[in-house]
Amino acid sequence: MRFKEESVEEKLDHIKRKQEEMSIHKHFPADPVKQAVDKFPLLPEFLKVRGLVKQHLDSFNYFVKTDIKKIVRANDRIVSSVDPSIYLRFKDVRIGEPSITVDGISEKLNPHTCRLSDMTYAAPILVNIEYITGSHVQKTRVEKNDVVIGRMPIMLRSCCCVLYKKDEAELARLGECPLDPGGYFVVKGTEKVILIQEQLSKNRIIIDTDKKGNINASVTSSTESTKSKTVIVMEKEKIWLQLNQFTSKIPIMIVMKAMGMESDQEVVQMVGRNPRYSALLLPSMEECASHGIYTQQQALEFLERKVKKLPFYNPSLEKEGRGMAILRDTFIANVPVRQNNFRPKCLYVAVMLRRMMDAILNKDAMDDKDYVGNKRLELSGQLISLLFEDLFKTMISEVKKTIDAILAKPSRSSRFDFSQFIVRDSITVGLERTLSTGNWDVKRFRMHRKGMSQVVARLSYIGSLGHMTKISPQFEKSRKVSGPRALQPSQWGMLCPCDTPEGEACGLVKNLALMTHVTTDEEESPLISLCYSLGVEDLELLSGEELHTPNSFLIIFNGLILGKHRRPQRFANALRKLRRAGKIGEFVSVFVNEKQHCVYIASDGGRVCRPVVIADKGKSRIKEHHMKELIDGVRTFDDFLRDGLIEYLDVNEENNALIALYEADAKPETTHIEIEPFTILGVCAGLIPFPHHNQSPRNTYQCAMGKQAMGNIAYNQLCRMDSLLYLLVYPQRPLLTTRTIELVGYDKLGAGQNATVAVMSYSGYDIEDAIVMNKSSLDRGFGRCIVMKKFSAVNQRYENNASDRIVRPLKVGHDAERMQILDDDGLAAPGEIIKPNDIYINKESPIITKGPLISPVGLPDSAYKPSRQTFKGPEGEASVVDRVALCSDKNSNLCIKFLIRHTRRPEVGDKFSSRHGQKGVCGTIIQQEDFPFSERGICPDLIMNPHGFPSRMTVGKMIELLGGKAGVSCGRFHYGSAFGEPSGHADKVETISKTLVKHGFSYSGKDFIYSGITGCPLQAYIFMGPIYYQKLKHMVLDKMHARGSGPRVMLTRQPTEGRARNGGLRVGEMERDCLIAYGASMLIFERLMVSSDPFEVQVCRVCGLLGYYNHKLKIGICSTCKNGDNISTMKLPYACKLLFQELQAMNVVPRLKLTEA
Amino acid sequence: MHRSPALDMPDVPKGQLPPHIELQRTRVLCNFDAPTHTENVQYSGAYSSMGVDNSLRMDQFCNNFRVEVIRLSEDDMEFDMIGIDPSIANAFRRILIAELPTMAIEKVLIANNTSIVQDEVLAHRLGLIPINADPRLFDDLSENDTPNEKNTIVFNLHVRCERGGPRLTVKSNELKWLPHGSEFPLATENTTSSSTSKPKTYTSFSCSQDSLPEFSDKSIGPKHPDIIIAKLGPGQEIELEAHAVKGMGKTHAKWSPVATAWYRMLPEVVLLQEIEDEKAEELVKKCPVNVFDIEDIAKGKKKATVARPRACTLCRECIRGDDWDKHVAIRRVKNHFIFTIESTGALPPEVLFNEAVKVLEDKCERVITELS
């Protein structure tokens, strides 16, 4: 208690002191008056333009608009290998409107009907084709438009979706929740989100050390045609090339020679003439010389010997050697070789060597793999494009195979129509299967990844939002390394520092911050030519010597060396100016790396970036009038971008910027100013009030728990048919809100209730974080929740054309009582109270389901057997049939879904949590009259033990209580946004205290309380006020389990395991150890045998083997000795007997020796 | 410091407590950090060494006990109860909350509910509506009883939102009293006895409730007509019957006759020293509820006085900060209770209190008879 008080007061004092300091600083007369512009209104505008899941939508839109066309253009011809003049060409491709074709009639789809009727929300992929038709002699070219080649699942709210740019009323008409962000797919009725995949940058040189401590430079190349990994490694002072296609490491000088760099001097020049570099290169040159290789020819021959032999490799196919081909196509594949000009590749290798040597000479030059700037996020669009490319190519080869088979036939009678052979199913089925299983098995790109798509978590609104921003890691979770798990400084503003799971995936699974944007690919060629016109000297024109001259920087564009520039800073500034003017894409990043003497320009997809305000000499470009225009609605976020007031910075370019947190902190050299500091947090962490006052792991815990909180899911929650749905009966909006809460709409779809909490010890049932609850509060609806579960049944049709039938319930008979809730149609009626073991569908199946076809009607009743489905719910509780839905599934069988609802009030053992990672179960429920009450008659809803505070240090919770109390008394929602005190997005404790005092409360929030039991005042002032409490989905009713006797496993005859199978409670090894230590041998005997699997066996005293009991002769007989003379009867566990027999089956003879018998 | 042996100390006058102990006995000292001396000394011989008898005497109690009503309105009242032990005052509070019977809707028979409010939630909401019926006129409905006109009030709710119309808010005034009892026929035997005079319903009223003298002048209904029960969209309908029965707050809060009932001890604010001039002004400014006033004394000097101690909410602002607790003391008088009753409306608050006294009386009598 003391400790807690001190910590509060200390904190309060500390804050006060800070604020005083700040206010003094502000009013200092010599300080130039800096009018801070409130930039917060930009945020809602940003989210309006970009949305919370914009990264998914952008990525998918890019795929649909650009990428798919590129793929089709790259593989646009199907040419028959029998008759090359017969071909089919895809001229154009586009995605149509989401629709489904049933019996030739096309019907428009909307996402909600797909959810309800287990369909895939997909749109046809339409192509325009031109092809040759006709016989051998007479060939005509035919064009056909809008041919369907398959169906593409459509991301909700993407540009192809019917929800695109719809307003709230239109969305409501389509049965959609306006707050739902979209960004997921509906596949076979389930919502699937493709997780953002984190990967190491492609096509970039990364200097790293391997396990042996050798320094290496690696490039993971990825082009449209090939993917490869090239590693150059320094081992025993010599430099080698590692490439999969070679059987062993190749000395790098041999590779250089093979590429035409026959002169060692040129290589040294290219790496740099500094003797330190040449010294490092010398051993490699000697190695090369020791092999006796001096010419390109010799080097290529050497490589030829090292090439891996492929099983089905036919050397006659290639004119030149394999070594040459590998060097051209696989070795750093991202550097193109045009007309066998290997010079760019040589220069690239030289740069790699140089970087490696820099790292050897100076350890600082090592690259950090965990640095966010070296990472790329792969989004749904890219993943689907990979998949589509594979399926499209497969389809083309299939079509080719079929037409070749047809054309090869000597006599073709019918007219040959190319377009008929386009198969549609392979693409449709492939996309659907991959999306619904989440297994990306793309052999063409050697990609085998599992769990890429997940069912959208619909436990709470915030949970599903958080799911869309989740980033799945590149490493396996089992790796016991700390590096990738640690919080990276470069994550600032891009990835949420709080939101990561606990346990094995801790730090690997991350979440995007509020303002993060993930880029998509941008056209490269105009940017390259722009660079050249801005004064980049072409690589071709440079000698090796010039490559590393001081005072000039290498220009590297998307990992490709373009050339050199003598005035890098000016070049970078020019590019940035063009970007701010909107002449080049807003997401192109320019990064001057002083250390590496490089300018990196990036326009590739998957980089994370965020908007910041541009500042000139420390003065924000956004002025008061801009914000006024924004509020008046004449200016949008895009206008800010277009006018060059705001720009997107990616992680690398942030290194060239000096970003001030507030305008007041800006110095003359400041280049940018943050929009709002709380945007460094993600969606889940944004719910926490005053998170900057909490101990950091508490915020992490809350991020995990906020996803389990019950509340509202969406506006259409009662029209959905989720398999499991948790709802709160009276959800509330938090009294202490944050700006993030308002931005994401948590105030509209809350998941919790404002409970008046008294922080005190009460009754002893509040130890270990348990909370004491007020019974009257529960009576009045606090924490009341609805659990809805889906049960479904299919009216199956069998292969002999017989089908299930649903029949009228029996009015009499022994099952009539269980059928009371059934309507005349044999289905449970909505609104009926259903108890465990009640029948909810009176279905009958035919006995014969195979064999010859029979007519489904006129089958006699005797041909059916009942296959009723009974409801299994919590024992002793009454549930209600909420809704019954009928739809037809894919095989046009009738599918019936029942939604069964159970309303629960909190009970002892239910789990609750505040928004500060303080979870606890309900310890006891106490009558209101026994509860303490304040001078004003306020009686708390729950009592929390003060021991929860000192070790957890959740000061934010205390401030939430104070703020909530002040909010209740003055009638204004108080704010607690992260780091919001200076900008006014969080109320200061001092002002909160003033409000409290104004309304007659103590400044510290502690009230004079009377005991409800004795009626006397308590001997302490009690910290009391409202705190937003969440009810978590873990409830005792779903977990409690006990059994006496019950089902057993067939094989071992031991009790079954688990609650679902009504299993027994296991006395495990540790419990057994305790009993042994205690000496309770008879208890062990009882638990381990008598209550488990006792079995009586006949043991032969002579041979020691098990016999059997002959019921006719009523004696035990040993089957080995063939008599019953020496048989004893004993009891042993059935599992033991089973073990003996299994051993015997393996030719091991276990013999029992009985001491007494 | 000079120390004198205990035997040399002057005798404490017999039959009278020294002032500091008297203060501890009668006042709760609300110090800045925590209240002290909060509990009452019950033991009759607690002060016998000082010759003071601490036993409770009937005649003394009768002489000192007073009740002063401060405020009384239709559904709330505030009164002072002076000269009583906190345990007794608390007993009244507890009885008011948990042990006074009222009528509340307990059973809801839903014939049709196509609104978005789930049946259970609707029933729960109905249950919490306070009903303007005197519970003293009704009997308890125990498990084996059949609902009749003496123990059940039946309401009917039938609302329908027309298609094409605007949305409808169903408020508590839509609950219509059915003095003749339930109109829903009992499902089980509707076919067999339909030929007889009346079909069996869920209640068996022998006569209409409005024919009874106690209800003839006053119709029964919800206390407040504007409690929102549900909202209906076009085409939605609710048809149900609600049966209210007698019950007590300890079973469910819906039967509690009070919104809340509580007391606080009378505040006593004492100026330990003269507070003058600026300091007085400061004190007056400090208090958010205007407990203090300024009084002019001679020569233009000003002095702080305690004008409205009753208003004190114990925010402890006046004793916060440097040495203020040396100047001002906040106390609570232990035997003076400012009692507030907020009735939900079934019975007026003064009747509720009388009922509470009766319940306590019954309990005492029961104990006495059990003991004798």
Side-chain angles (χ1 to χ4, degrees), chain A residues 90-101:
Chain A
F90 296 101
K91 290 200 301 186
D92 192 21
V93 64
R94 63 187 184 90
I95 306 281
E97 274 194 351
S99 62
I100 189 166
T101 314

Side-chain angles (χ1 to χ4, degrees), chain A residues 730 775 779 901 903 927 929-930 933 935-937 997 1000-1003 1006 1010 1012-1013 1015 1017 1019 1021, chain B residues 31 38-39 90 93-94 98 118 120 124-125 250-251 253 262-263 265 288 313 315-317 320 332:
Chain A
Y730 297 111
K775 181 170 166 290
D779 286 345
R901 143 170 55 99
T903 308
Q927 295 280 350
E929 61 267 24
D930 288 335
F933 58 97
E935 287 252 291
R936 304 174 179 222
V997 167
F1001 287 105
S1002 167
Y1003 79 102
K1006 291 195 271 186
Y1010 296 87
I1013 301 169
Q1019 290 189 338
Y1021 298 116
Chain B
N31 301 328
T38 56
E39 65 290 294
N90 192 35
R93 183 190 69 88
R94 293 170 61 93
Q118 290 88 355
E120 308 93 274
H124 173 240
R125 293 181 71 85
K250 59 180 161 193
T251 10
W262 83 98
Y263 58 77
M265 289 172 172
T313 56
C315 66
R316 313 188 289 284
E317 275 298 296
R320 183 178 163 198
R332 302 273 124 152

